[in-house]
Amino acid sequence: MKWKMRKCPKDNIYTFKDTCQICGSKTVIPHPSRFSPEDKYVKYRIELKKGITLNC
Amino acid sequence: MLPIGIENATKIMNYISKGGKEYVCVMQVHCEYNKEELAKIISSFKGEIYQRPPVRSSVKRRLRIRRIYDIEILDMDKKLVLLRVNCDSGTYMRKLCHDIGIIYGCGAHMRELRRTRSGIFTESTNLVKLHELSEAIYLYKNCKDETELRRVLIPMEFATCEIPKIVIEDSAVNALAYGAQLAVPGVVAYQNFKKNDTVAVLTLKGELVATGNALMDSEELENAKKGIVVNLSRVFMQRDIYPKAWKKHES
């Protein structure tokens, strides 16, 4: 199913539109992506978020 | 947003899940609608409503009364309506959308749903994605870095923030953990509460000891010299964390 709900990450406002009507920034789909307890790529996700290479 | 209690904190979930909820949902109406008319119908749902739980539900399907504190239309787009609903716990959004559709005349169903508040926990302050939890656990296990995990897991005392509190002496803590009643001399400080209110019992350091129903008003407690203050229903404090301070009766 195609998600219709959008949310402005700055103003926390829900809308259908692709841009926020208050700040004009791009809205995002608020629903989280799929998660598996196995979570194979957790290390790479942390590295990407922090911008560093983990050596542990 | 779904508050989850782990280990000892599972006991306190009863108090959390009873709090009001806030949802944002996308309703799809089965025909082209008149905006004003639909808005009027939607606002008429504010207040007490009768609701029968849907076929697929985990509770007994009998008609129950639930209160909608606030219902607001955030956006409209063709056949879709974006709603924000503030309601009691136990209100079914899917059913609410369905009922709005029936009253409007051409039917409607819920397309997307998101809970943005559950009791005191809100999306903007407390929401943690499973991905973030997984990252925190990875950092804790492999890098011995617990800062992220400490942000993700919050103390269970947080859940008692809306309940009146009673602070007790350290010497009474272990007795309560062993099942004793809380008597007046053990009380150090308290907030205002009425008889039969749910109260939380804390240590001087602010650790949760137990919850229960008050057996007297706080004004009564002020003048009381003895007697039982709280009828404890749940004890959270583990035994022997605090030293034993009562004398064994030798016969």
Short mmCIF file of all heavy atoms in Angstrom, two decimals, chain B residues 127-158:
data_model
loop_
_atom_site.label_atom_id
_atom_site.label_comp_id
_atom_site.label_asym_id
_atom_site.label_seq_id
_atom_site.Cartn_x
_atom_site.Cartn_y
_atom_site.Cartn_z
N LEU B 127 9.52 8.87 21.72
CA LEU B 127 9.45 7.81 20.70
C LEU B 127 10.84 7.29 20.34
O LEU B 127 11.77 8.05 20.08
CB LEU B 127 8.76 8.33 19.44
CG LEU B 127 8.57 7.29 18.35
CD1 LEU B 127 7.53 6.27 18.73
CD2 LEU B 127 8.19 7.94 17.05
N VAL B 128 10.97 5.96 20.35
CA VAL B 128 12.21 5.31 19.95
C VAL B 128 11.86 4.24 18.92
O VAL B 128 11.00 3.41 19.17
CB VAL B 128 12.90 4.64 21.16
CG1 VAL B 128 14.08 3.83 20.72
CG2 VAL B 128 13.31 5.68 22.17
N LYS B 129 12.52 4.27 17.78
CA LYS B 129 12.26 3.23 16.77
C LYS B 129 13.02 1.96 17.16
O LYS B 129 14.05 2.04 17.82
CB LYS B 129 12.74 3.71 15.41
CG LYS B 129 11.81 4.73 14.78
CD LYS B 129 12.35 5.14 13.43
CE LYS B 129 11.57 6.32 12.92
NZ LYS B 129 12.28 7.03 11.87
N LEU B 130 12.52 0.84 16.69
CA LEU B 130 13.20 -0.43 16.98
C LEU B 130 14.62 -0.41 16.43
O LEU B 130 15.52 -1.01 17.01
CB LEU B 130 12.42 -1.59 16.37
CG LEU B 130 11.22 -2.08 17.18
CD1 LEU B 130 10.44 -3.11 16.40
CD2 LEU B 130 11.66 -2.66 18.50
N HIS B 131 14.82 0.30 15.34
CA HIS B 131 16.17 0.41 14.78
C HIS B 131 17.12 1.10 15.77
O HIS B 131 18.25 0.67 15.95
CB HIS B 131 16.14 1.21 13.48
CG HIS B 131 15.23 0.62 12.45
ND1 HIS B 131 13.90 0.96 12.37
CD2 HIS B 131 15.44 -0.29 11.51
CE1 HIS B 131 13.34 0.28 11.39
NE2 HIS B 131 14.25 -0.49 10.84
N GLU B 132 16.60 2.15 16.40
CA GLU B 132 17.43 2.89 17.36
C GLU B 132 17.75 2.02 18.56
O GLU B 132 18.87 2.04 19.09
CB GLU B 132 16.70 4.15 17.84
CG GLU B 132 16.53 5.21 16.75
CD GLU B 132 15.63 6.34 17.22
OE1 GLU B 132 15.83 6.84 18.34
OE2 GLU B 132 14.72 6.72 16.47
N LEU B 133 16.76 1.23 18.99
CA LEU B 133 16.97 0.32 20.12
C LEU B 133 18.05 -0.69 19.77
O LEU B 133 18.96 -0.96 20.56
CB LEU B 133 15.65 -0.38 20.46
CG LEU B 133 15.70 -1.38 21.61
CD1 LEU B 133 16.00 -0.69 22.91
CD2 LEU B 133 14.39 -2.14 21.71
N SER B 134 17.95 -1.22 18.56
CA SER B 134 18.92 -2.20 18.11
C SER B 134 20.33 -1.61 18.06
O SER B 134 21.31 -2.25 18.45
CB SER B 134 18.50 -2.72 16.73
OG SER B 134 19.50 -3.48 16.17
N GLU B 135 20.42 -0.36 17.61
CA GLU B 135 21.72 0.31 17.57
C GLU B 135 22.27 0.50 18.98
O GLU B 135 23.46 0.28 19.23
CB GLU B 135 21.58 1.69 16.90
CG GLU B 135 21.42 1.60 15.40
CD GLU B 135 20.76 2.85 14.82
OE1 GLU B 135 20.83 3.92 15.46
OE2 GLU B 135 20.16 2.74 13.74
N ALA B 136 21.39 0.90 19.90
CA ALA B 136 21.82 1.12 21.28
C ALA B 136 22.34 -0.17 21.90
O ALA B 136 23.35 -0.17 22.60
CB ALA B 136 20.66 1.67 22.10
N ILE B 137 21.65 -1.26 21.61
CA ILE B 137 22.08 -2.56 22.16
C ILE B 137 23.43 -2.96 21.56
O ILE B 137 24.32 -3.44 22.26
CB ILE B 137 21.00 -3.63 21.91
CG1 ILE B 137 19.77 -3.32 22.75
CG2 ILE B 137 21.53 -5.02 22.24
CD1 ILE B 137 18.56 -4.15 22.42
N TYR B 138 23.59 -2.70 20.27
CA TYR B 138 24.86 -3.04 19.61
C TYR B 138 26.00 -2.25 20.24
O TYR B 138 27.05 -2.81 20.56
CB TYR B 138 24.76 -2.72 18.11
CG TYR B 138 26.01 -3.09 17.35
CD1 TYR B 138 26.15 -4.35 16.77
CD2 TYR B 138 27.06 -2.18 17.20
CE1 TYR B 138 27.30 -4.70 16.09
CE2 TYR B 138 28.22 -2.52 16.52
CZ TYR B 138 28.32 -3.78 15.96
OH TYR B 138 29.46 -4.12 15.29
N LEU B 139 25.80 -0.96 20.44
CA LEU B 139 26.85 -0.12 21.02
C LEU B 139 27.17 -0.56 22.45
O LEU B 139 28.32 -0.56 22.87
CB LEU B 139 26.42 1.35 21.02
CG LEU B 139 26.47 2.06 19.67
CD1 LEU B 139 25.82 3.42 19.78
CD2 LEU B 139 27.90 2.20 19.20
N TYR B 140 26.15 -0.97 23.19
CA TYR B 140 26.35 -1.40 24.56
C TYR B 140 27.12 -2.72 24.61
O TYR B 140 28.08 -2.88 25.35
CB TYR B 140 25.00 -1.53 25.26
CG TYR B 140 25.09 -2.12 26.64
CD1 TYR B 140 25.78 -1.46 27.65
CD2 TYR B 140 24.50 -3.34 26.93
CE1 TYR B 140 25.87 -2.00 28.92
CE2 TYR B 140 24.59 -3.89 28.20
CZ TYR B 140 25.28 -3.22 29.18
OH TYR B 140 25.38 -3.76 30.44
N LYS B 141 26.70 -3.64 23.77
CA LYS B 141 27.29 -4.99 23.82
C LYS B 141 28.70 -5.01 23.25
O LYS B 141 29.59 -5.65 23.79
CB LYS B 141 26.41 -5.97 23.02
CG LYS B 141 25.24 -6.46 23.82
CD LYS B 141 24.58 -7.63 23.12
CE LYS B 141 23.47 -8.22 23.95
NZ LYS B 141 22.58 -9.06 23.14
N ASN B 142 28.90 -4.32 22.15
CA ASN B 142 30.18 -4.45 21.45
C ASN B 142 31.17 -3.34 21.77
O ASN B 142 32.37 -3.55 21.72
CB ASN B 142 29.95 -4.52 19.94
CG ASN B 142 29.11 -5.73 19.58
OD1 ASN B 142 29.31 -6.80 20.11
ND2 ASN B 142 28.15 -5.54 18.70
N CYS B 143 30.66 -2.15 22.06
CA CYS B 143 31.58 -1.04 22.30
C CYS B 143 31.58 -0.59 23.75
O CYS B 143 32.25 0.37 24.11
CB CYS B 143 31.22 0.15 21.41
SG CYS B 143 31.06 -0.28 19.68
N LYS B 144 30.79 -1.27 24.59
CA LYS B 144 30.67 -0.91 26.01
C LYS B 144 30.27 0.56 26.18
O LYS B 144 30.68 1.24 27.10
CB LYS B 144 32.00 -1.17 26.76
CG LYS B 144 32.47 -2.60 26.67
CD LYS B 144 31.80 -3.48 27.74
CE LYS B 144 32.17 -4.94 27.59
NZ LYS B 144 31.43 -5.66 26.54
N ASP B 145 29.49 1.04 25.23
CA ASP B 145 29.03 2.43 25.28
C ASP B 145 27.55 2.42 25.63
O ASP B 145 26.72 1.97 24.83
CB ASP B 145 29.27 3.10 23.91
CG ASP B 145 28.77 4.52 23.89
OD1 ASP B 145 28.35 5.02 24.95
OD2 ASP B 145 28.79 5.14 22.80
N GLU B 146 27.22 2.86 26.85
CA GLU B 146 25.82 2.74 27.27
C GLU B 146 25.03 4.04 27.19
O GLU B 146 23.89 4.09 27.62
CB GLU B 146 25.76 2.16 28.69
CG GLU B 146 26.55 2.93 29.71
CD GLU B 146 26.50 2.30 31.09
OE1 GLU B 146 26.38 1.07 31.18
OE2 GLU B 146 26.58 3.05 32.07
N THR B 147 25.64 5.10 26.66
CA THR B 147 24.93 6.38 26.64
C THR B 147 23.64 6.29 25.81
O THR B 147 22.61 6.80 26.22
CB THR B 147 25.82 7.49 26.05
OG1 THR B 147 26.46 6.98 24.88
CG2 THR B 147 26.86 7.96 27.03
N GLU B 148 23.75 5.61 24.68
CA GLU B 148 22.58 5.51 23.81
C GLU B 148 21.49 4.66 24.48
O GLU B 148 20.31 5.01 24.44
CB GLU B 148 23.03 4.91 22.48
CG GLU B 148 22.09 5.05 21.32
CD GLU B 148 21.68 6.47 21.00
OE1 GLU B 148 22.30 7.46 21.47
OE2 GLU B 148 20.70 6.60 20.26
N LEU B 149 21.89 3.58 25.10
CA LEU B 149 20.93 2.69 25.76
C LEU B 149 20.22 3.41 26.91
O LEU B 149 19.04 3.23 27.14
CB LEU B 149 21.65 1.44 26.29
CG LEU B 149 20.76 0.27 26.67
CD1 LEU B 149 19.99 -0.24 25.45
CD2 LEU B 149 21.56 -0.86 27.28
N ARG B 150 20.96 4.27 27.59
CA ARG B 150 20.37 5.01 28.70
C ARG B 150 19.37 6.06 28.20
O ARG B 150 18.48 6.47 28.92
CB ARG B 150 21.45 5.68 29.55
CG ARG B 150 22.17 4.69 30.42
CD ARG B 150 23.00 5.36 31.47
NE ARG B 150 23.73 4.36 32.23
CZ ARG B 150 23.22 3.69 33.26
NH1 ARG B 150 21.98 3.91 33.63
NH2 ARG B 150 23.94 2.79 33.89
N ARG B 151 19.54 6.52 26.99
CA ARG B 151 18.59 7.46 26.41
C ARG B 151 17.31 6.72 26.01
O ARG B 151 16.20 7.22 26.16
CB ARG B 151 19.20 8.14 25.19
CG ARG B 151 18.32 9.23 24.58
CD ARG B 151 18.93 9.75 23.31
NE ARG B 151 18.89 8.78 22.22
CZ ARG B 151 17.83 8.57 21.45
NH1 ARG B 151 16.72 9.25 21.63
NH2 ARG B 151 17.87 7.67 20.48
N VAL B 152 17.50 5.50 25.53
CA VAL B 152 16.39 4.72 25.00
C VAL B 152 15.54 4.12 26.12
O VAL B 152 14.31 4.13 26.06
CB VAL B 152 16.95 3.63 24.07
CG1 VAL B 152 15.92 2.60 23.75
CG2 VAL B 152 17.49 4.25 22.79
N LEU B 153 16.19 3.62 27.16
CA LEU B 153 15.46 3.04 28.29
C LEU B 153 15.30 4.11 29.35
O LEU B 153 16.28 4.71 29.78
CB LEU B 153 16.25 1.87 28.89
CG LEU B 153 16.44 0.64 28.04
CD1 LEU B 153 17.29 -0.37 28.80
CD2 LEU B 153 15.12 0.01 27.67
N ILE B 154 14.07 4.34 29.77
CA ILE B 154 13.89 5.34 30.83
C ILE B 154 13.43 4.64 32.11
O ILE B 154 12.80 3.60 32.05
CB ILE B 154 12.92 6.46 30.40
CG1 ILE B 154 11.61 5.88 29.91
CG2 ILE B 154 13.54 7.35 29.35
CD1 ILE B 154 10.59 6.93 29.62
N PRO B 155 13.77 5.22 33.26
CA PRO B 155 13.41 4.57 34.52
C PRO B 155 11.90 4.44 34.69
O PRO B 155 11.14 5.28 34.20
CB PRO B 155 13.96 5.53 35.58
CG PRO B 155 14.91 6.42 34.88
CD PRO B 155 14.49 6.48 33.46
N MET B 156 11.50 3.38 35.36
CA MET B 156 10.05 3.16 35.49
C MET B 156 9.40 4.22 36.39
O MET B 156 8.19 4.41 36.31
CB MET B 156 9.77 1.76 36.02
CG MET B 156 10.27 1.49 37.40
SD MET B 156 9.68 -0.11 37.94
CE MET B 156 10.69 -0.37 39.37
N GLU B 157 10.19 4.90 37.20
CA GLU B 157 9.64 5.97 38.06
C GLU B 157 8.97 7.04 37.19
O GLU B 157 8.06 7.73 37.65
CB GLU B 157 10.74 6.61 38.90
CG GLU B 157 11.16 5.79 40.10
CD GLU B 157 12.09 4.64 39.76
OE1 GLU B 157 12.54 4.56 38.59
OE2 GLU B 157 12.36 3.81 40.63
N PHE B 158 9.43 7.17 35.98
CA PHE B 158 8.88 8.12 35.02
C PHE B 158 7.36 7.94 34.86
O PHE B 158 6.62 8.89 34.70
CB PHE B 158 9.56 7.87 33.68
CG PHE B 158 9.54 9.02 32.75
CD1 PHE B 158 10.54 9.97 32.79
CD2 PHE B 158 8.53 9.15 31.81
CE1 PHE B 158 10.52 11.04 31.93
CE2 PHE B 158 8.52 10.22 30.94
CZ PHE B 158 9.51 11.16 31.00
#
